[in-house]
Amino acid sequence: GIFTSKAFGIGLLALTAFSWILFSIYCGAPGAKKSFLKRAMGREKLSTQETVTVMLLSNFIGVVFSRSLHFQFYVWYFHSLPFLLTCTPLPGWAQVAVFIGIEACWNPWKGETSSIESSILLTVLHLVLLASLFVGLRVHKGVKDA
């Protein structure tokens, strides 16, 4: 099947690495004037907020492109979701909707396992959050580097 395919696994690994690189080049902590990579290359010390943002974002990207998910993964990133959602330009109601949607996907009420529908919804919500994070954390080119 697709989930045991070597090509699928390599593709997911490539997407993970590509996303980490993309975010490091183009994004920074909320309100930052320099990207994570520019800060690191300039040997600038990251603030606590920047460090937390990098760690939680990196972990979330790893979850988004995982071959399969286990409930333990949810425990690892559940507490980071509110912080990550506030880094997006999504309105408050949409942030709450994404959070509740992810919670519902991880805790199915019918049976003990996920369904095809809950898996598709979780993937869509993860991608919405990831894209929103890219928009929300993007360092704008019009801002001069400090």
Side-chain angles (χ1 to χ4, degrees), residues 13-33:
L13 180 60
L15 285 170
T16 301
F18 174 76
S19 297
W20 284 333
I21 292 167
L22 188 71
F23 273 87
S24 70
I25 292 171
Y26 292 105
C27 297
K33 294 180 181 178

Side-chain angles (χ1 to χ4, degrees), residues 3 20 43 63 88 95 102 135 144:
F3 287 101
W20 284 333
R43 298 180 188 231
V63 169
T88 72
Q95 292 177 13
I102 290 173
V135 171
K144 284 193 167 191

Side-chain angles (χ1 to χ4, degrees), residues 46-110:
L46 296 179
S47 69
T48 303
Q49 182 178 11
E50 290 170 318
T51 302
V52 168
T53 303
V54 168
M55 291 174 65
L56 298 181
L57 178 61
S58 297
N59 185 55
F60 179 69
I61 289 170
V63 169
V64 170
F65 297 110
S66 293
R67 184 186 301 238
S68 64
L69 294 174
H70 307 280
F71 194 76
Q72 182 66 38
F73 287 32
Y74 188 48
V75 173
W76 293 339
Y77 84 106
F78 167 79
H79 295 92
S80 68
L81 289 173
F83 175 80
L84 292 173
L85 284 162
T86 62
C87 294
T88 72
L90 295 173
W93 66 265
Q95 292 177 13
V96 171
V98 168
F99 185 80
I100 290 171
I102 290 173
E103 174 71 18
C105 290
W106 277 104
N107 293 289
W109 289 282
K110 288 174 30 179

Side-chain angles (χ1 to χ4, degrees), residues 102-146:
I102 290 173
E103 174 71 18
C105 290
W106 277 104
N107 293 289
W109 289 282
K110 288 174 30 179
E112 293 295 320
T113 62
S114 60
S115 64
I116 292 172
E117 295 82 9
S118 69
S119 297
I120 291 170
L121 180 58
L122 183 62
T123 300
V124 168
L125 291 171
H126 278 167
L127 293 175
V128 165
L129 178 52
L130 188 63
S132 298
L133 282 164
F134 186 77
V135 171
L137 296 174
R138 178 99 195 243
V139 175
H140 300 289
K141 292 185 180 203
V143 177
K144 284 193 167 191
D145 289 342

